[in-house]
């Protein structure tokens, strides 16, 4: 890493950071939105160029391997499409006076800072650095959630801040314990926090100590993944913040926290004395899935409903990774990608729907396919996808999760399938009233950008019908790495 | 000499746990802030002693940060904020002081049992430090759940972070990156909280979290 040469890892960190600094000074919101989109596009292009050039050499701080490159590609892609959506979304918020230009400046800067923090967490080769990055991401999202400054938004931001900080504090304690376990073996200093060094030597660590460390890490980062019983911040934060931030939270930040858990799970799996991390993750995943599935029935707020659906899906993904083995890991990885794409598409639709109708109450929204056909049908496709119907991508990944569970632990498949069916019922019930029937409320057309939403949905559809062979073999390779 | 070094480290870390207990039963905001400043002072001494014992000069920086930011700047800033908000009245506690103290003792016992057992192989000084640090973290958590007032929840959170700093300095040779980041996170946290509190003030005329609960998004 000489001073002049600028590798891609530094670029995907530097572009969002520079953009955040620049956007803080741009008064004109149209220009700000454009720069936001442009910066995201540049970051995406740099991230994609990693596939062409191959991974740069592993450094003391940064690491690109087969696992995190998936997350980076997904992160920058959804970051870019959300920026496109955000550009049309905020125009309307400004017009109705929910936001002022000063806040928008702030919002754009925070958006880029969040992307920077997430990218940093993903490329970090140092568990301490990863923790710092996730903490920055938490703080920026707290500010974004409280952006509207309404009672509800403040309560949501406060709750998120308190629960998020406690989670992040527990994660730090776990990180310190891990360092304590590594230090007698690896020696003092930076090496004992470098992930590549840890994974090479973890077999010699004290098993009991890293068991305790992992429990802290799972609870701490699990708070950020939104796993029950530490999920309480998630529905409020999704419902009360601006919709682009809900899309980024659900689609990306939950994944980043899960990525941190996965890194430590790999370390645990490599130590013969340590407890198996699988059962813990399976339990938390199943509890989240079933709890969220039942909670879906009682929702009256459309964004809150999809937030619970995010808890449900993060539960499924954690369950799949906890189950382990090539098929379940493959399914978990695929499910994660599909969920990110679908859920952010749904939030794109929901954001414009809430703007068109002027409300987020499910009872006040009816007959969307008649009043706003493009939005309505987008929502229908999105909900059909998220509830796991064929031929869309989530059907395939859920199917793989269920079959691999049957193969490994048949009894666990029963609660899993029950959870999936209960959630399916709730979503279909609500979809029916939202999308069909006589339109209710405001039917005026709304200026919306359909491209990001339909781009995501078509990717999900393509993945459901046909997965390209290189992608499959690549995911299989990662699944094998995850153990 | 080794015995003395260990004893003093033990004394200071134990003192931190004791001050955490003192925070649990403060029922006025100003008193709470004063005890928090004491907490930060004990932390600074403890970190400085670790720096001396481990012969790690960079830890003096951490001690200085603890002394300047946590023991002076933050309490003073919060003091002013409380004065400006006019909320220097009694703190309501959700659970009574007796049960809270009992729960606190249980948590301390728990952290001793857990940490001393799993760190049997580690160096004794780090071991004691870690056990006390976990106790401070858990007491901070306890304080956050037993308080309703937003300011005292924040103080609880900051005492929790003090416990983390104690753990980080106890772990021999842990890179400085992390320690500074903890200090910075406190600072950032304060900024966020400051913004929050003022926004809350604008909208509700109270910082009681229960008042926030009334505005839940999903009333029936």
């Amino acid at each position: 890493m000489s001073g002049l040469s600028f590798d891609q890892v530094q670029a995907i960190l530097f572009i969002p950071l520079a953009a955040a600094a620049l956007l803080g000074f741009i008064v004109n919101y149209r220009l700000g939105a454009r720069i936001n989109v442009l910066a995201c596009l540049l970051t995406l292009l740099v991230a994609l160029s990693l596939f062409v050039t191959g991974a740069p050499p592993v450094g003391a701080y940064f690491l690109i391997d087969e696992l995190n490159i998936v997350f980076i590609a997904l992160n920058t892609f959804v970051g870019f499409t959300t920026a496109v959506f955000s550009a049309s979304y905020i125009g309307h918020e400004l017009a109705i006076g929910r936001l002022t230009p000063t806040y928008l400046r702030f919002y754009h800067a925070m958006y880029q800072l969040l992307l920077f923090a997430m990218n940093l967490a993903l490329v970090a080769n140092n568990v301490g650095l990863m923790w710092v990055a996730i903490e920055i991401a938490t703080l920026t999202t707290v500010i974004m959630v409280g952006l509207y400054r309404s009672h509800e938004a403040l309560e949501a931001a406060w709750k998120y801040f308190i629960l998020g900080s406690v989670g992040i504090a527990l994660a730090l304690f776990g990180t310190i314990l891990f360092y304590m376990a590594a230090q007698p073996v690896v020696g003092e200093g930076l090496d004992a926090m470098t992930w590549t060094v840890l994974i090479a030597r973890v077999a010699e660590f004290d098993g009991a100590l890293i068991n305790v460390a992992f429990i802290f890490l799972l609870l701490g980062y699990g708070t950020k993944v939104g796993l029950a019983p530490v999920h309480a911040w998630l529905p409020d934060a999704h419902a009360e913040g601006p919709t682009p931030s809900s899309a980024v939270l659900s689609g990306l930040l939950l994944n980043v926290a899960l990525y941190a858990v996965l890194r430590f799970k790999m370390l645990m799996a490599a130590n013969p004395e340590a407890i198996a991390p699988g059962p813990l993750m399976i339990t938390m995943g199943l509890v989240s899935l079933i709890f969220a599935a039942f909670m879906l029935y009682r929702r009256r707020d459309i964004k809150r409903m999809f937030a619970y659906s995010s808890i449900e899906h993060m539960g499924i993904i954690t369950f799949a990774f906890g189950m382990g083995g090539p098929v379940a890991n493959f399914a978990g990885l695929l499910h994660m990608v599909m969920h990110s794409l679908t859920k952010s598409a749904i939030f794109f639709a929901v954001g414009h729907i809430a703007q068109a109708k002027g409300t987020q109450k499910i009872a006040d929204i009816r007959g969307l396919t008649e009043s706003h056909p493009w939005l309505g049908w987008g929502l229908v496709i999105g909900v059909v996808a998220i509830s796991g119907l064929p031929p869309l991508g989530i059907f395939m990944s859920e199917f793989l999760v269920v079959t691999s569970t049957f193969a490994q632990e048949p009894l666990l498949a029963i609660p899993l399938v029950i959870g999936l069916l209960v959630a399916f019922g709730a979503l279909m019930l609500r979809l029916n009233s939202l999308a069909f029937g006589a339109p209710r409320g405001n039917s005026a057309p709304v200026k919306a950008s359909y491209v990001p939403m339909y781009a995501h949905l078509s990717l999900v559809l393509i993945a459901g019908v046909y997965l390209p062979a290189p992608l499959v073999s690549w995911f299989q390779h990662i699944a094998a790495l995850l153990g | 000499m080794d015995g003395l070094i260990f004893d003093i480290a033990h004394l200071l870390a134990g003192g931190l746990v004791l001050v955490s207990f003192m925070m649990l039963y403060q029922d006025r905001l100003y008193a709470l802030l004063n005890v928090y400043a004491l907490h930060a002072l004990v932390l600074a001494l403890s970190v400085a002693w670790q720096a001396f014992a481990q012969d790690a000069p960079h830890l003096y920086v951490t001690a200085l940060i603890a002394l300047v930011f946590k023991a002076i700047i933050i309490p003073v800033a919060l003091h002013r904020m409380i004065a400006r908000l006019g909320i220097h009245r009694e703190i309501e506690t959700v659970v009574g002081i007796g049960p809270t103290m009992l729960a606190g003792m249980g948590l301390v016992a728990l952290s001793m049992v857990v940490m001393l057992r799993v760190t049997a192989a580690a160096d004794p000084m780090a071991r004691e430090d870690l056990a006390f640090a976990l106790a401070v973290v858990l007491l901070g958590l306890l304080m956050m759940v037993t308080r309703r007032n937003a300011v005292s929840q924040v103080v609880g959170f900051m005492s929790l972070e003090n416990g983390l700093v104690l753990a980080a300095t106890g772990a021999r040779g842990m890179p400085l990156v992390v320690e500074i980041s903890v200090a910075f996170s406190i600072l950032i946290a304060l900024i966020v909280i400051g913004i929050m509190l003022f926004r809350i003030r604008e909208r509700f005329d109270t910082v009681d979290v229960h008042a926030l609960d009334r505005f839940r998004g999903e009333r029936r």
Side-chain angles (χ1 to χ4, degrees):
Chain A
M1 273 199 273
S2 70
L4 286 175
S5 74
F6 210 61
D7 70 21
Q8 292 124 311
V9 178
Q10 284 160 308
I12 61 173
L13 297 177
F14 178 74
I15 296 171
L17 198 59
L22 178 67
L23 284 166
F25 292 101
I26 302 232
V27 184
N28 183 332
Y29 88 91
R30 281 174 204 283
L31 186 64
R34 267 184 212 143
I35 292 178
N36 196 22
V37 173
L38 190 69
C40 290
L41 179 63
L42 275 177
T43 321
L44 172 65
L45 291 178
V46 175
L48 290 181
S49 77
L50 282 172
F51 288 97
V52 183
T53 59
V58 175
Y61 290 103
F62 301 129
L63 157 80
I64 300 281
D65 63 3
E66 286 90 347
L67 174 62
N68 64 6
I69 205 167
V70 185
F71 285 81
I72 294 168
L74 187 67
N75 206 30
T76 47
F77 176 71
V78 177
F80 166 62
T81 48
T82 309
V84 175
F85 160 69
S86 154
S88 73
Y89 177 85
I90 54 164
H92 186 271
E93 299 295 284
L94 204 61
I96 61 168
R98 263 182 109 182
L99 288 175
T100 64
T102 327
Y103 283 129
L104 273 184
R105 220 160 90 187
F106 201 55
Y107 160 81
H108 279 136
M110 283 301 143
Y111 187 83
Q112 289 295 334
L113 201 59
L114 171 65
L115 290 183
F116 159 75
M118 290 196 293
N119 287 342
L120 181 63
L122 293 176
V123 299
N125 189 17
N126 180 304
V127 289
L129 190 63
M130 185 161 81
W131 178 84
V132 171
I134 293 181
E135 163 127 29
I136 299 175
T138 308
L139 290 174
T140 52
T141 39
V142 166
I143 295 174
M144 279 168 89
V145 167
L147 194 72
Y148 285 141
R149 306 184 56 177
S150 62
H151 302 140
E152 294 86 354
L154 286 174
E155 193 207 342
W158 181 254
K159 206 176 191 178
Y160 178 30
F161 172 70
I162 292 290
L163 267 169
S165 317
V166 171
I168 219 82
L170 293 181
L172 179 61
F173 199 79
T175 310
I176 295 171
L177 287 182
F178 228 102
Y179 171 82
M180 289 281 293
Q183 180 232 334
V185 179
V186 181
E188 290 176 20
L190 214 55
D191 272 359
M193 296 198 104
T194 306
W195 192 83
T196 38
V197 176
L198 291 180
I199 190 84
R201 309 278 306 266
V202 72
E204 304 158 48
F205 294 179
D206 178 24
L209 194 52
I210 63 173
N211 284 347
V212 177
F214 184 73
I215 289 171
F216 275 99
L217 288 162
L218 183 64
L219 263 182
Y221 288 129
T223 311
K224 304 244 50 199
V225 182
L227 295 177
V230 276
H231 66 281
W233 61 274
L234 195 145
D236 287 347
H238 278 67
E240 307 306 343
T243 310
S245 80
S246 318
V248 181
L249 265 176
S250 251
L252 303 178
L253 192 58
L254 306 185
N255 290 349
V256 173
L258 187 68
Y259 166 81
V261 174
L262 284 182
R263 282 281 182 206
F264 281 103
K265 184 195 169 232
M266 288 165 80
L267 289 176
M268 292 296 284
N271 185 312
E273 284 176 51
I275 43 163
L280 288 173
M281 292 173 73
I282 288 176
T283 313
M284 279 184 98
L286 259 189
V287 170
S288 311
L289 163 66
I290 291 173
F291 167 79
F294 281 102
M295 290 303 273
L296 277 172
Y297 281 91
R298 314 229 14 200
R299 303 283 60 89
R300 284 158 175 75
D301 180 304
I302 184 165
K303 279 166 84 178
R304 205 171 276 264
M305 177 171 89
F306 288 114
Y308 275 100
S309 155
S310 289
I311 300 179
E312 179 217 333
H313 284 277
M314 292 322 280
I316 298 173
I317 298 165
T318 311
F319 176 88
F321 284 129
M323 191 56 78
V327 183
N329 279 337
F330 180 89
L333 212 56
L334 185 66
H335 195 81
M336 189 194 75
V337 176
M338 290 299 123
H339 170 252
S340 288
L341 292 174
T342 316
K343 191 50 68 62
S344 39
I346 289 179
F347 273 116
F348 298 162
V350 167
H352 285 310
I353 289 167
Q355 287 183 333
K357 295 287 186 188
T359 176
Q360 288 178 202
K361 285 214 174 72
I362 292 177
D364 294 343
I365 305 173
R366 282 203 192 286
L368 278 170
T369 46
E370 268 185 49
S371 61
H372 302 86
W374 282 95
L375 287 176
W377 284 109
L379 184 72
V380 171
I381 301 173
V383 176
V384 164
I386 207 79
S387 52
L389 281 181
L392 291 120
I394 289 188
F395 167 72
M396 196 154 91
S397 53
E398 280 184 356
F399 184 74
L400 282 172
V401 175
V402 173
T403 48
S404 67
T405 311
F406 264 118
Q408 294 183 42
E409 295 285 341
L411 280 179
L412 282 178
I414 299 166
L416 176 72
V417 171
I418 290 176
L420 289 176
L421 288 178
V422 169
F424 171 79
L427 286 167
M428 283 299 135
L429 199 69
R430 293 286 174 240
L431 178 66
N432 196 24
S433 77
L434 282 171
F436 306 107
R440 183 187 290 180
N442 191 357
S443 291
V446 66
K447 207 174 153 227
S449 58
Y450 303 111
V451 181
M453 176 168 79
Y454 281 100
H456 280 199
L457 290 176
S458 39
L459 279 178
V460 174
L461 178 64
I462 293 169
V465 179
Y466 164 72
L467 271 183
L471 192 76
V472 174
S473 64
W474 180 38
F475 272 25
Q476 275 168 342
H477 179 64
I478 305 168
L481 270 184
L482 283 170
Chain B
M1 187 59 196
D2 253 13
L4 184 66
I5 286 182
F6 174 75
D7 285 346
I8 293 180
H10 201 151
L11 174 77
L12 288 170
L16 203 64
V17 177
L18 201 67
V19 180
S20 278
F21 265 108
M22 282 169 68
M23 282 195 191
L24 280 181
Y25 63 78
Q26 299 303 322
D27 57 359
R28 287 188 179 272
L29 278 180
Y30 284 158
L32 182 66
L33 284 181
N34 293 343
V35 179
Y36 172 72
L38 180 65
H39 199 264
L41 183 69
V42 176
L43 175 77
L45 287 177
S46 174
V47 173
W49 189 256
Q50 288 283 349
F52 169 71
Q54 297 179 16
D55 196 19
H58 63 270
L59 287 185
Y60 286 117
V61 180
T62 313
L64 195 70
I65 292 173
L67 185 68
V68 175
F69 280 123
K70 296 184 190 165
I72 300 171
I73 296 182
I74 287 180
V76 168
L78 279 175
H79 215 275
R80 283 197 180 170
M81 202 179 277
I82 291 169
R84 199 180 305 169
L85 295 174
I87 50 164
H88 43 274
R89 44 173 215 278
E90 283 207 359
I91 302 168
E92 315 158 80
T93 43
V94 175
V95 192
I97 285 174
T100 312
M101 297 299 275
L102 283 177
M105 282 180 227
L107 290 176
V108 174
L110 178 77
S111 52
M112 296 299 149
V113 170
V114 171
M115 291 317 299
L116 294 182
R117 185 165 298 168
V118 299
T119 54
D123 140 58
M125 203 153 118
R127 211 176 145 205
E128 301 283 337
D129 243 24
L130 217 55
F132 282 131
L134 182 61
V136 173
V137 168
L138 292 180
L139 288 176
L141 273 179
L142 179 67
M143 187 165 154
M144 287 175 80
V145 298
T146 53
R147 303 283 174 149
R148 283 181 191 171
N149 185 295
V151 174
S152 41
Q153 285 188 344
V154 170
V155 174
F157 176 64
M158 291 190 302
S159 76
L160 187 157
E161 291 241 52
N162 283 354
L164 292 176
V165 174
L166 184 69
T169 48
R172 198 173 265 274
M174 183 140 165
L176 186 66
V177 192
V178 179
E179 287 139 22
I180 289 188
S181 72
V182 171
F184 268 111
S185 72
I186 299 269
L187 203 64
I188 298 169
L190 187 77
I191 297 167
V192 175
I193 291 158
I195 299 166
M196 297 273 193
L197 287 180
F198 284 111
R199 287 179 176 183
I200 290 170
R201 175 69 185 163
E202 269 172 36
R203 299 276 173 176
F204 309 108
D205 299 318
T206 172
V207 279
D208 189 330
V209 178
H210 262 220
L212 300 188
D213 280 345
R214 263 186 267 132
F215 302 110
R216 273 195 58 87
E218 221 169 11
R219 270 161 312 182
R220 304 207 166 91

